[in-house]
Amino acid sequence: MKRMFVFLSTLLIVFAFSISAFASDLSSNVENEVMDISDEIVTVVNETYENRDIKVTAEDIDYSKAYKVYVDTNIFKLSTNKADKIKETLETGNYIYLLPIDVSDGTIVVNLQKGLPLSENSKKVLSLEEQQEVLDNVGKWIVSSVHFYENGNLNFDYEKKLKSLIGVIPEDTMLVGSLPIFEDVVALIPNEDGIIESIVPLSTLTKEKDLINYSTKNNSYIYSYKQIKEIANDLPDADPNIAGEAANIETDINYIMIAFSVVLTLVIVAYMFYLKKKKINE
């Protein structure tokens, strides 16, 4: 069962990135929003990685290391390239926190998101008690998944990768996912005038790499935001699953991602509920 939990957690992380601000403070307001769930983080991590003999405590959690990632808003559809207007739109949409916790043989990244409403389908598979637990978590920050990175694997370290590509990270830089073309999180880089000038994918994978080869700026990992935006908006509109629509600085949610996340979140919550009952019986 624990193997299944780890698999589902990993799947959620991968899915969120394949469809997923940071400024000089990469964690944004995470301390004010999620510090009251430290005990939950400790419980989930220790129970998930019990076979690895991993034990973390609340003292091991450093919220300042968290990354705020905006998801489900297709900013390419906005009529503006101004950083403050884009951020304003993103703040009205969905976002998650990715919280790294260092352990002896690697790093555990905890995915934190707000609890989602109970769907009609979920009512068919959960008990009344489990349904109530989901309802109690709606709008609250919960641990939706965890993922382990072995020592040497720094794919989660967006700050280090971005610094290696652009040097000093400008204020008002934002991390965004769920965009057309790119399969993972990207960084939006503003210029001195507060206009988003560059877009930097923090993964080497792209959905339409051939389309963006010519828009390379400085090196193969830094792209012109204006050109990428034009390319993305020229793509066919037939596949709404790539990213949500946004126009006139309005946010639209990617309902496919939400539905998928709801199912996985409910499975994880059910598993956690099972563990609680198991402990009580023991």
Side-chain angles (χ1 to χ4, degrees), residues 161-175:
K161 179 164 186 178
L162 192 55
K163 284 182 176 178
S164 72
L165 294 172
I166 68 171
V168 177
I169 301 175
E171 189 175 354
D172 292 331
T173 295
M174 291 167 274
L175 286 181

Side-chain angles (χ1 to χ4, degrees), residues 96-277:
I96 63 174
Y97 286 109
L98 300 179
L99 175 64
I101 302 176
D102 293 328
V103 293
S104 60
D105 55 346
T107 300
I108 294 169
V109 176
V110 181
N111 186 328
L112 304 174
Q113 67 179 56
K114 289 184 178 180
L116 300 171
L118 183 67
S119 67
E120 290 300 319
N121 289 336
S122 300
K123 294 178 182 179
K124 299 176 183 179
V125 297
L126 297 178
S127 67
L128 292 177
E129 190 172 1
E130 291 168 339
Q131 290 180 37
Q132 187 58 51
E133 186 167 352
V134 173
L135 291 172
D136 291 341
N137 285 326
V138 173
K140 298 179 181 179
W141 286 98
I142 61 172
V143 178
S144 62
S145 64
V146 291
H147 186 73
F148 179 80
Y149 292 85
E150 294 183 351
N151 283 329
N153 186 342
L154 298 178
N155 288 334
F156 67 90
D157 197 339
Y158 299 133
E159 180 181 11
K160 183 173 183 178
K161 179 164 186 178
L162 192 55
K163 284 182 176 178
S164 72
L165 294 172
I166 68 171
V168 177
I169 301 175
E171 189 175 354
D172 292 331
T173 295
M174 291 167 274
L175 286 181
V176 184
S178 312
L179 293 177
I181 298 177
F182 302 99
E183 293 185 345
D184 209 329
V185 178
V186 300
L188 306 183
I189 313 298
N191 60 21
E192 294 180 354
D193 297 322
I195 303 298
I196 299 298
E197 182 176 49
S198 303
I199 184 168
V200 181
L202 297 176
S203 166
T204 57
L205 299 177
T206 60
K207 291 181 178 178
E208 303 289 350
K209 186 168 178 58
D210 291 341
L211 291 176
I212 62 177
N213 277 341
Y214 74 85
S215 64
T216 298
K217 176 183 178 181
N218 298 334
N219 63 46
S220 59
Y221 298 102
I222 302 177
Y223 301 96
S224 163
Y225 181 77
K226 181 179 179 180
Q227 290 182 345
I228 291 295
K229 182 177 179 179
E230 292 174 354
I231 295 170
N233 288 331
D234 283 341
L235 294 175
D237 295 329
D239 188 0
N241 297 341
I242 293 178
E245 293 295 324
N248 300 320
I249 315 185
E250 294 180 356
T251 301
D252 186 25
I253 304 301
N254 186 327
Y255 292 101
I256 299 298
M257 186 272 186
I258 290 179
F260 186 86
S261 298
V262 166
V263 173
L264 286 182
T265 300
L266 291 174
V267 171
I268 293 170
V269 169
Y271 174 71
M272 292 171 63
F273 182 75
Y274 161 78
L275 287 179
K276 290 180 181 179
K277 292 197 294 186

Side-chain angles (χ1 to χ4, degrees), residues 72-117:
D72 307 329
T73 303
N74 185 357
I75 55 174
F76 293 147
K77 293 296 183 180
L78 302 181
S79 59
T80 180
N81 290 349
K82 292 183 178 180
D84 59 345
K85 292 297 184 180
I86 291 175
K87 186 173 183 179
E88 180 182 322
T89 300
L90 290 171
E91 285 288 343
T92 66
N94 288 344
Y95 56 88
I96 63 174
Y97 286 109
L98 300 179
L99 175 64
I101 302 176
D102 293 328
V103 293
S104 60
D105 55 346
T107 300
I108 294 169
V109 176
V110 181
N111 186 328
L112 304 174
Q113 67 179 56
K114 289 184 178 180
L116 300 171

